């Protein structure tokens, strides 16, 4: 059984109506008694990294909507600890954060491939006990992470594939309509 801990995926229940989290998958980066923190990994933001950070010389690096909290901040996860110091390993080979100046320099020099890093505007956060309560209410389905899925660039497939990876009982949920009353 999967329990709440850094590195797990929170898959939104098909009937979760919260517009911030409907049909999303959240990578949980921190889970402590005082609260939890993570990023929506499958909701593309309207602007690219070079739009938000003028120092980035490479065009059209995607930025994802990390969540509704602090939408004036940029965060990232990556697979390049040799290029980016200061990251926290949340899964084997997957790091959260690090020195942003090193990220910009590595991108501009062509040393860091965009498929090795994922950027987020804002984050998803829960206060003490809030996420546990949402899991009890069945708003979230917990899953072991899949590194390939975390860095998948076809964001529209992540939610469905996350459910399918859990087996046939969940795979059929991947095709549920958003609002069954419209069926």
């Amino acid at each position: 059984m999967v329990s709440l801990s850094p590195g797990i995926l929170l898959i939104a229940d098909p009937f979760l109506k919260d517009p911030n989290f409907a049909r999303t998958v959240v990578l949980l980066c921190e889970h402590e008694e005082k609260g939890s923190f993570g990023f929506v990994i499958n909701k593309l933001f309207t602007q690219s990294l070079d739009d938000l950070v003028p120092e980035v010389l490479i065009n059209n690096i995607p930025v994802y909507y990390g969540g509704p909290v602090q939408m004036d901040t940029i965060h990232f996860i990556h697979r390049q600890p040799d290029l980016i110091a200061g990251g926290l390993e949340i899964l084997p080979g997957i790091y959260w954060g690090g020195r942003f100046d090193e990220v910009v320099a590595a991108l501009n020099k062509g040393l860091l491939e965009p498929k090795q890093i994922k950027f987020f505007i804002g984050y998803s956060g829960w206060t003490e006990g809030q996420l546990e309560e949402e899991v009890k209410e069945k708003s979230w389905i917990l899953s072991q992470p899949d590194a390939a899925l975390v860095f998948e660039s076809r964001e529209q497939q992540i939610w469905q594939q996350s459910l399918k990876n859990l087996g046939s009982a969940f795979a059929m949920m991947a095709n549920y309509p958003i609002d069954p009353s419209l069926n």
Side-chain angles (χ1 to χ4, degrees):
M1 183 173 158
V2 180
S3 61
L4 288 171
S5 62
I8 65 124
L9 297 178
L10 304 172
I11 305 167
D13 179 83
F15 303 113
L16 182 64
K17 299 242 188 280
D18 182 330
N20 291 305
F21 297 109
R23 305 279 164 126
T24 63
V25 177
V26 176
L27 174 63
L28 197 60
C29 294
E30 187 174 277
H31 179 69
E32 298 178 355
E33 192 174 307
K34 64 183 178 187
S36 304
F37 170 94
F39 302 111
V40 173
I41 62 171
N42 67 321
K43 200 172 183 182
L44 200 57
F45 191 63
T46 55
Q47 294 176 292
S48 61
L49 188 62
D50 58 299
D51 293 331
L52 301 171
V53 182
E55 297 82 17
V56 174
L57 304 177
I58 299 171
N59 294 333
N60 301 319
I61 295 174
V63 175
Y64 294 82
Y65 170 82
V69 183
Q70 289 190 348
M71 291 290 296
D72 59 346
T73 59
I74 295 176
H75 306 269
F76 58 95
I77 58 172
H78 62 92
R79 299 192 259 201
Q80 296 287 179
D82 53 321
L83 294 175
I84 305 165
L88 176 67
E89 191 171 30
I90 55 172
L91 286 169
I94 298 181
Y95 297 80
W96 157 42
R99 295 202 37 189
F100 194 72
D101 60 326
E102 291 178 0
V103 170
V104 172
L107 283 169
N108 289 342
K109 291 177 184 172
L111 300 173
L112 180 61
E113 293 182 47
K115 66 182 179 182
Q116 297 296 319
I117 191 163
K118 204 165 193 176
F119 295 93
F120 305 94
I121 187 127
Y123 66 89
S124 301
W126 294 267
T127 58
E128 182 178 341
Q130 183 182 6
L131 184 54
E132 290 85 352
E133 192 58 37
E134 290 180 14
V135 169
K136 278 185 204 167
E137 294 169 352
K138 301 206 182 301
S139 295
W140 299 105
I141 300 163
L142 306 183
S143 172
Q144 291 294 338
D146 174 342
L149 200 61
V150 169
F151 285 93
E152 173 64 57
S153 60
R154 295 168 298 180
E155 70 283 341
Q156 66 279 10
Q157 295 180 7
I158 294 173
W159 181 79
Q160 286 182 321
Q161 190 59 52
S162 295
L163 286 171
K164 289 176 183 175
N165 288 353
L166 293 172
S168 59
F170 290 96
M172 63 185 215
M173 295 170 77
N175 296 316
Y176 282 2
I178 292 175
D179 187 348
S181 68
L182 299 176
N183 235 1

